[in-house]
Amino acid sequence: MNKKNLLPFLLLGLAAKIYSEPLPSVIYSYIDSSLVEQKVVLNSEEIKEANVSDLPSLLVSCGIQILSYGTYGLEQKPSIRGFTDETVRVIIDGVCVNNAQYGTFDFSSINLHDIERIEIVKGGFTEGISDEGAVGGAIYITTKKQSLGHHFNISSSLKTFFNKARPLDTFSQAFGYSGQLTSSSFLKTNIQGTFANNNFYYYDYLNRKKTEENSRVIDGSASVNYSFFFGNGSSFSVNDLFYAGNKNTPGTKSQSYAGNQKDYDNNLNLQLSFPEITKGLKLESSLSWLSNTRFYTENSNYSEHYVNTVKYSLSTDYTRLSFFKEKAGLSLDYVHLDSSNDGIHNQISGALKNTAGFIIKKDDSPNSFCITIPLAVRFSNQNFAFTPKLGFAYKTHYVDFLLDGYRMVQFPNMDDLYWQGDGNTGNPDLKPEKGWGADFTINVHDCFLPFSLCAFTNYYESKIQWVMSSSGYHPENIASAFYAGIDFDIEKSFFKDRLVFSGSAEYLYTKLLNKSNKYTYGKRIMWTPDLTASASIKVNIPSSGKLRKSTFILEANYMGKRYKNNTNSAYMKPYLLVNLCSQLTFTKKEWSFIPYFRIDNLLNQNYEAIDNYAMPMISSSLGLKIKK
């Protein structure tokens, strides 16, 4: 690192005040609660009790559609309100990790055991300043932070698809440690490895029972975090996450070829945090290097892709006045792409964002009125965009009313701009996708059956679509569409959290508006379901002695009708997946032992998340987690 890169950190260090107060007993971080924004939140306990193998399986339980090309390790993309790929941003500890080349994020690369909190925001770009580019929504992931003392965790799991030829299909092993090095410095590390044959059963288009072949995935991840605290919670941290995966790609049910994909990712992040420079003023700065390398082989075709991104961000949070809250942020990104298909390109992008919040409330009243005004200016090479948002909220003791409207802008990814291969070509003259959206939400709480109901609508134009020409496929800004829907969420606990019921549902209506194509005008967008829903029942049985608690979870996830193409001439059938999970918690002195058992697709459904790509039928996992 040269001196210029160090300068922002040195300036912040000179501005900080050094205090001598002792460190708090627990050190943690979280995303500040917003004034108007609606979020779906999963805490670390809910993540642990789900006992799933990857993050997409967890998102499904929140009613999020996952466009999956297979089981563990293969490409899986979340779709929020009909938007997917780069329009759904993934932010880990304040850093957006979407790949600049194709816009998505590999969920295999993050260790579930290292996640403290997941927050899902649906709709246009958010009030926070961690990312300004969301269109469909944002998934905020906060990793676990350090606490005093020394802590260990070990997790092992075995999985079977009940394949007689391979009864033991998948093995996963994870180790973790966090602890103090000195009175003010901490170290946290996690290592995980998985070997998955993925030889599951499925039925082909002729209703013949087959076994998925060429689908083996061997991968592993390692993360190290060092944090140094120098008074009043101010800290400097270094975090590095490395992932390596060797993945066979089996293709569709009707194809028989052996593809292979090798991924090597490294995310290095340096961060300075000052929670109180002066009263009510918080300041954070980070410098990140994201490296994504992929080697891909399909039949006789071979390609290499190197993506290196350097990100710098500076953010402030000012909340000194009781009626005023302000956040401001600056981010700058530099991307160097060297790809067999895209060539060598450099891209500079950035954003300047400010969110002002006003709160009107009487001291003796539970009612409050809030206004938020997030504004962002973004650029990427020759593209420029101004994205405003306006939100209102009226909150009472029993019900909240939230209303917001926002501008949506999505810049083209580098594959769209520069792709060259198989007769297909990118388009360097592409313009940003853009549109408008609005949400109206009612939250009813502090009653027998709390629930949330949200009506939303979006109009989106200049959407990038790959179209056929005499020279092959190429992308153009031609598509436009109308979106409207209703989100519903409910959660209720009984008998002091011994019985917890939760559910969510979303109805989505879409209409294509490109009049130049008479075959698709007025049709629904392909792969977007008309209805998605999820429900779960959790039973917690506390005990005395070494067995402290027994937990049982029954969940159901429904995926509605989805068209295979934009002409709506054929559709994929709806399906219902039922899963069952149970775990026991034993304690002995400072140690906890948690054996668990999980069955996925209990009804043995034959289904597809994407047309003609096989998905696993019934499977079962057995595991043990040990922590101190």
Side-chain angles (χ1 to χ4, degrees):
M1 184 184 299
N2 59 39
K3 294 181 179 179
K4 291 182 179 180
N5 290 334
L6 285 173
L7 182 59
F9 294 97
L10 296 176
L11 292 176
L12 289 179
L14 292 174
K17 293 183 178 180
I18 308 301
Y19 295 89
S20 58
E21 286 88 344
L23 291 169
S25 59
V26 177
I27 300 165
Y28 59 93
S29 73
Y30 57 92
I31 300 171
D32 292 338
S33 60
S34 58
L35 301 177
V36 175
E37 208 163 59
Q38 185 79 354
K39 296 180 179 180
V40 177
V41 181
L42 293 170
N43 58 40
S44 60
E45 190 64 26
E46 293 170 318
I47 296 171
K48 287 187 293 185
E49 289 179 344
N51 291 308
V52 293
S53 58
D54 53 21
L55 186 53
S57 301
L58 192 65
L59 297 177
V60 168
S61 65
C62 301
I64 303 296
Q65 180 193 11
I66 299 295
L67 297 172
S68 178
Y69 291 84
T71 186
Y72 176 84
L74 300 182
E75 188 172 8
Q76 300 180 85
K77 302 182 291 187
S79 175
I80 298 179
R81 293 182 176 176
F83 293 91
T84 186
D85 293 341
E86 62 265 43
T87 61
V88 177
R89 313 300 280 176
V90 180
I91 299 97
I92 300 178
D93 291 333
V95 179
C96 182
V97 291
N98 291 65
N99 187 296
Q101 182 181 2
Y102 41 83
T104 57
F105 170 70
D106 186 356
F107 286 100
S108 305
S109 63
I110 187 166
N111 188 340
L112 277 176
H113 303 284
D114 195 32
I115 298 178
E116 176 66 28
R117 188 178 177 92
I118 299 173
E119 299 181 83
I120 304 168
V121 178
K122 299 180 180 181
F125 85 96
T126 60
E127 293 176 10
I129 44 80
S130 295
D131 182 71
E132 74 295 327
V135 170
I139 300 173
Y140 290 93
I141 299 173
T142 302
T143 59
K144 293 180 179 178
K145 304 306 174 185
Q146 296 77 11
S147 58
L148 300 180
H150 298 273
H151 306 273
F152 303 89
N153 65 79
I154 303 172
S155 178
S156 304
S157 67
L158 303 171
K159 187 171 187 175
T160 179
F161 290 106
F162 300 100
N163 185 332
K164 295 180 181 179
R166 293 187 180 274
L168 178 57
D169 185 272
T170 302
F171 173 71
S172 182
Q173 180 69 57
F175 302 92
Y177 165 77
S178 64
Q180 290 177 264
L181 300 180
T182 67
S183 60
S184 57
S185 62
F186 297 80
L187 178 69
K188 176 174 68 73
T189 181
N190 284 281
I191 301 173
Q192 177 173 302
T194 300
F195 179 92
N197 283 303
N198 291 328
N199 294 138
F200 54 83
Y201 288 126
Y202 70 93
Y203 287 92
D204 66 6
Y205 61 98
L206 295 176
N207 204 33
R208 297 173 299 188
K209 190 174 183 180
K210 288 192 172 183
T211 300
E212 183 70 304
E213 301 293 341
N214 188 53
S215 54
R216 177 177 293 177
V217 173
I218 304 174
D219 67 358
S221 64
S223 65
V224 178
N225 178 274
Y226 171 79
S227 298
F228 175 76
F229 292 82
F230 47 90
N232 201 40
S234 298
S235 64
F236 169 74
S237 64
V238 181
N239 184 75
D240 188 72
L241 170 63
F242 174 77
Y243 171 80
N246 188 340
K247 309 172 182 182
N248 292 338
T249 53
T252 65
K253 293 180 179 179
S254 56
Q255 292 175 317
S256 58
Y257 67 82
N260 181 261
Q261 177 178 307
K262 293 182 174 66
D263 290 330
Y264 303 95
D265 302 330
N266 192 79
N267 296 349
L268 175 64
N269 178 249
L270 311 178
Q271 187 173 53
L272 273 173
S273 177
F274 304 99
E276 194 171 17
I277 289 182
T278 61
K279 187 175 182 181
L281 178 60
K282 178 181 179 180
L283 190 63
E284 289 189 349
S285 179
S286 69
L287 180 66
S288 305
W289 169 53
L290 279 61
S291 174
N292 305 105
T293 301
R294 171 171 293 179
F295 306 112
Y296 189 76
T297 303
E298 181 182 319
N299 294 332
S300 59
N301 297 322
Y302 175 76
S303 62
E304 298 180 354
H305 311 272
Y306 304 89
V307 186
N308 285 278
T309 305
V310 178
K311 293 174 172 280
Y312 173 73
S313 67
L314 175 67
S315 63
T316 64
D317 192 339
Y318 183 67
T319 57
R320 185 168 185 174
L321 301 176
S322 60
F323 61 89
F324 179 71
K325 181 177 184 179
E326 185 172 24
K327 299 179 181 180
L330 168 69
S331 64
L332 295 172
D333 295 2
Y334 167 75
V335 181
H336 177 75
L337 171 66
D338 185 353
S339 167
S340 302
N341 296 107
D342 294 342
I344 299 176
H345 297 277
N346 297 292
Q347 178 177 279
I348 298 176
S349 59
L352 180 64
K353 185 172 181 180
N354 185 82
T355 296
F358 302 88
I359 306 171
I360 302 173
K361 179 181 180 180
K362 293 183 179 180
D363 293 337
D364 57 348
S365 173
N367 303 342
S368 65
F369 180 73
C370 308
I371 302 175
T372 61
I373 309 173
L375 305 171
V377 176
R378 304 175 56 211
F379 72 91
S380 178
N381 285 1
Q382 74 274 20
N383 290 317
F384 175 86
F386 172 61
T387 51
K389 182 176 181 179
L390 181 62
F392 302 91
Y394 180 66
K395 301 182 180 182
T396 71
H397 184 70
Y398 294 102
V399 62
D400 301 336
F401 300 94
L402 287 70
L403 174 66
D404 62 81
Y406 45 85
R407 179 69 162 161
M408 304 183 297
V409 175
Q410 178 62 53
F411 293 155
N413 62 47
M414 299 182 82
D415 271 355
D416 290 331
L417 295 170
Y418 309 119
W419 181 269
Q420 299 285 335
D422 299 326
N424 305 321
T425 59
N427 182 359
D429 298 323
L430 287 172
K431 301 300 181 183
E433 302 175 349
K434 54 189 177 181
W436 291 93
D439 299 345
F440 176 65
T441 305
I442 300 176
N443 294 326
V444 178
H445 45 81
D446 200 19
C447 63
F448 176 74
L449 204 60
F451 69 90
S452 173
L453 186 66
C454 175
F456 62 89
T457 182
N458 302 106
Y459 170 70
Y460 206 54
E461 61 181 344
S462 300
K463 184 171 177 59
I464 297 171
Q465 183 172 315
W466 286 71
V467 296
M468 184 64 180
S469 66
S470 58
S471 59
Y473 282 95
H474 68 279
E476 294 182 5
N477 292 100
I478 59 171
S480 58
F482 172 75
Y483 302 73
I486 296 176
D487 283 328
F488 178 76
D489 295 279
I490 187 171
E491 183 170 347
K492 177 64 177 179
S493 61
F494 303 89
F495 314 115
K496 298 181 179 180
D497 291 337
R498 295 187 181 184
L499 177 64
V500 180
F501 170 77
S502 62
S504 65
E506 179 180 281
Y507 171 77
L508 177 64
Y509 171 77
T510 61
K511 183 177 180 180
L512 291 164
L513 300 177
N514 180 18
K515 291 186 178 180
S516 64
N517 190 334
K518 64 180 181 179
Y519 299 105
T520 62
Y521 179 76
K523 304 296 185 180
R524 287 183 179 247
I525 300 175
M526 60 187 294
W527 294 351
T528 57
D530 54 359
L531 179 66
T532 57
S534 64
S536 70
I537 298 175
K538 180 167 66 174
V539 178
N540 293 310
I541 304 176
S543 304
S544 58
K546 294 182 179 180
L547 177 59
R548 301 303 299 270
K549 187 173 70 170
S550 304
T551 303
F552 303 89
I553 301 175
L554 179 65
E555 61 181 37
N557 303 306
Y558 173 80
M559 183 62 58
K561 181 179 178 181
R562 296 147 294 147
Y563 287 103
K564 297 181 180 181
N565 49 54
N566 286 336
T567 62
N568 295 176
S569 57
Y571 65 89
M572 301 168 63
K573 294 181 179 179
Y575 60 84
L576 176 68
L577 300 181
V578 178
N579 309 316
L580 176 65
C581 179
S582 66
Q583 71 173 36
L584 304 176
T585 302
F586 297 90
T587 60
K588 185 175 181 181
K589 295 183 179 180
E590 297 179 338
W591 292 87
S592 295
F593 301 86
I594 307 173
Y596 67 87
F597 176 70
R598 181 179 174 91
I599 300 179
D600 289 296
N601 197 357
L602 183 63
L603 302 181
N604 206 26
Q605 293 290 305
N606 185 48
Y607 72 101
E608 294 175 352
I610 294 179
D611 182 38
N612 207 22
Y613 282 86
M615 292 296 291
M617 299 173 67
I618 188 171
S619 65
S620 178
S621 301
L622 180 67
L624 174 65
K625 292 181 284 189
I626 303 173
K627 62 180 182 178
K628 176 182 180 293

